[in-house]
Amino acid sequence: MQLTSFTDYGLRALIYMASLPAGELTNISQVTEVYGVSRNHMVKIINQLSRDGVVDAVRGKNGGIRLGRPAHTIRIGDVVRAMEPLSLVNCSLEFCHITPACRLKLVLDKAVKSFLQELDNHTLADMIDDNKGLQALLFSGSPLISATKKKEE
């Protein structure tokens, strides 16, 4: 199973915000610069995360974005559920004539549940706690990030 880039960058944006000191604001431009994603795409992602209550968007001159609740309360599985279309196959009768006798949908549903159950075992805090390598990559102007940006240009 592969996550959409929407969910992928949503998780990355949350990791970035969780890596900031508690309550500190950032902005979409900073997040897009770190990950080299288009601003337009990130605006849509942040809007979705804000609607879901995972991101707090503060308006005004000194506004910005930050986590909407503590990182240890944000389960990765919940974020994926909110952002990802999790229906793996189209089993409507209009699309597939074997639907009444097909067992594939049951197997795929079970697989998705197992996938999400594993993701539910991890929080955003698990992604950042005691992860100095992550901090270095996100906040030191890492050559890895610079190289990635140059490659995309």
Side-chain angles (χ1 to χ4, degrees):
M1 178 172 190
Q2 183 172 355
L3 299 176
T4 62
S5 66
F6 191 79
T7 303
D8 180 7
Y9 281 112
L11 290 167
R12 292 180 199 209
L14 291 172
I15 288 169
Y16 180 81
M17 286 181 264
S19 298
L20 297 169
E24 184 175 315
L25 291 169
T26 188
N27 60 52
I28 290 174
S29 295
Q30 288 175 319
V31 177
T32 59
E33 185 176 317
V34 167
Y35 293 118
V37 64
S38 84
R39 179 174 169 72
N40 186 44
H41 192 53
M42 188 57 69
V43 165
K44 292 175 187 174
I45 292 166
I46 296 301
N47 282 337
Q48 176 68 45
L49 291 169
S50 180
R51 282 191 301 273
D52 294 335
V54 182
V55 168
D56 184 21
V58 179
R59 296 185 181 263
K61 182 179 178 187
N62 295 317
I65 56 174
R66 63 180 166 220
L67 291 182
R69 55 185 203 260
H72 71 275
T73 68
I74 300 172
R75 294 186 316 173
I76 302 300
D78 292 336
V79 174
V80 170
R81 275 184 197 87
M83 299 186 76
E84 194 69 26
L86 293 171
S87 179
L88 298 182
V89 293
N90 181 351
C91 292
S92 67
L93 286 172
E94 298 82 33
F95 184 78
C96 181
H97 71 280
I98 68 168
T99 293
C102 185
R103 295 179 182 157
L104 179 61
K105 182 170 176 51
L106 297 173
V107 171
L108 294 174
D109 285 345
K110 187 176 177 181
V112 168
K113 285 177 185 170
S114 294
F115 173 71
L116 291 170
Q117 184 176 1
E118 178 59 30
L119 294 179
D120 284 340
N121 291 328
H122 305 281
T123 67
L124 196 52
D126 296 332
M127 303 301 110
I128 63 163
D129 288 346
D130 299 319
N131 192 341
K132 292 179 183 173
L134 176 66
Q135 294 290 321
L137 289 169
L138 289 175
F139 301 110
S140 70
S142 160
L144 176 65
I145 293 171
S146 299
T148 303
K149 283 183 191 176
K150 285 180 183 175
K151 197 184 295 183
E152 291 176 354
E153 292 174 353

